[in-house]
């Protein structure tokens, strides 16, 4: 028997910076799965992508500002405290040890992460610890290596709500609103003196401007 009041969805990433695409996905996943909490975990050093442009402490603070007052979102800083490369399997093992065996937990992956899942450390062990939820944009089918397709086939669940009845072991796809927002684009806007308004929370924009992150350039300095 699972414990619904402790169930959670886990989002990892660099959040460099956090934006409304991240936050809207968290809302929609929570509603689709019926979990009690959404846990956001900023990576210290992601092993499969370029290193973040901003220090871990700043990315952590921006997440806190973006989610202040949202009672169902938790910010988890264990990867930043652990330092070194942020391997997801290590993080999930530590969370499962804390939560116990009966709590339903789901790891949320974007289609880009799903497409390279077979390059992750101990990726085939993920469902021993959690469910895996793949975010799908409207009209888009995620790419997946053949070895991942074969591994996932017997674990697929059509109804996301079914994940609540089990602590781990299932895989499902959830369609979420397509918001064409990227952290790369937002960093470019800051560095060229253009506005990121309505792409991310205002509190985060003010933090970035105040600290001069992402080579922030004031509009009035443009030629």
């Amino acid at each position: 028997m699972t414990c619904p009041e402790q169930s959670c969805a886990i989002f990892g990433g660099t959040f460099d910076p956090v934006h409304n695409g991240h936050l809207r996905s968290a809302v929609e996943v929570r509603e689709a799965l019926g979990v009690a909490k959404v846990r956001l975990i900023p990576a210290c050093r992601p092993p499969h992508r370029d290193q973040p442009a901003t220090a871990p402490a700043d990315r952590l603070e921006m997440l806190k500002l973006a989610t202040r007052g949202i009672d169902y979102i938790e910010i988890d800083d264990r990867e930043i405290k652990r330092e070194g490369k942020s391997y997801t399997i290590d993080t999930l093992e530590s969370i499962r040890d804390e939560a116990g065996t009966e709590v339903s937990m789901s790891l949320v992956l974007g289609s880009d992460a799903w497409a390279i899942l077979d390059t992750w450390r101990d990726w085939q062990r993920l469902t021993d610890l959690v469910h895996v939820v793949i975010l799908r944009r409207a009209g888009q089918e995620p790419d997946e290596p053949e070895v991942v397709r074969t591994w996932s086939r017997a674990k697929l669940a059509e109804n996301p709500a079914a994940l609540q009845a089990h602590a781990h072991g299932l895989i499902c796809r959830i369609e979420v609103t397509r918001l064409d927002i990227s952290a790369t684009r937002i960093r470019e806007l800051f560095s060229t003196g253009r506005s990121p308004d309505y792409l991310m929370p205002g509190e985060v924009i003010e933090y970035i401007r105040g600290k001069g992150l992402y080579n922030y350039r004031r509009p009035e300095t443009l030629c």
Side-chain angles (χ1 to χ4, degrees):
M1 183 177 180
T2 60
C3 304
E5 68 278 2
Q6 298 178 38
S7 61
C8 71
I10 299 166
F11 284 73
T14 56
F15 301 106
D16 190 29
V18 60
H19 55 68
N20 289 347
H22 297 132
L23 301 175
R24 183 61 201 174
S25 292
V27 170
E28 295 187 14
V29 166
R30 175 177 178 258
E31 291 176 345
L33 298 181
V35 294
K37 295 287 184 180
V38 174
R39 185 178 296 199
L40 306 182
I41 306 180
C44 182
R45 291 174 52 205
H48 297 290
R49 58 184 298 174
D50 293 340
Q51 297 309 302
T54 306
D58 285 318
R59 292 185 285 114
L60 180 63
E61 184 60 28
M62 286 188 283
L63 270 178
K64 291 178 178 178
L65 288 171
T67 59
R68 181 176 293 168
I70 306 176
D71 59 0
Y72 61 82
I73 290 184
E74 296 178 343
I75 309 302
D76 187 324
D77 63 356
R78 73 184 64 218
E79 290 190 354
I80 288 174
K81 286 181 176 177
R82 189 166 67 225
E83 299 184 337
K85 290 186 177 180
S86 301
Y87 290 107
T88 299
I89 196 69
D90 297 336
T91 299
L92 296 178
E93 284 179 335
S94 66
I95 295 174
R96 177 57 73 186
D97 286 344
E98 293 170 4
T101 60
E102 297 183 352
V103 175
S104 178
M105 300 194 305
S106 299
L107 174 68
V108 181
L109 300 179
S111 56
D112 54 343
W114 183 250
I116 61 167
L117 188 67
D118 60 330
T119 69
W120 288 25
R121 173 184 283 184
D122 294 338
W123 63 274
Q124 290 170 308
R125 292 184 52 229
L126 290 175
T127 49
D128 294 337
L129 299 166
V130 293
H131 303 300
V132 177
V133 174
I134 308 139
L135 300 185
R136 180 177 62 190
R137 310 298 175 184
Q140 179 186 67
E141 286 295 330
D143 293 329
E144 55 189 3
E146 182 59 36
V147 65
V148 173
R149 183 180 299 112
T150 300
W151 168 77
S152 64
R153 189 173 294 126
K155 306 173 190 291
L156 289 175
E158 292 296 326
N159 184 357
L163 276 58
Q164 280 281 48
H166 307 275
H168 59 85
L170 298 177
I171 297 171
C172 77
R173 294 180 171 90
I174 294 177
E175 187 169 298
V176 294
T177 302
R178 186 183 183 94
L179 296 179
D180 193 14
I181 304 173
S182 78
T184 300
R185 174 62 173 159
I186 287 173
R187 294 194 296 269
E188 179 186 351
L189 292 176
F190 277 111
S191 68
T192 56
R194 286 173 287 176
S195 173
D197 289 354
Y198 308 110
L199 298 177
M200 59 197 308
E203 296 89 342
V204 178
I205 294 174
E206 291 307 311
Y207 182 87
I208 291 169
R209 287 173 174 162
K211 299 212 56 173
L213 304 179
Y214 306 117
N215 298 312
Y216 170 61
R217 185 179 181 185
R218 292 182 181 278
E220 59 265 31
T221 65
L222 291 173
C223 298

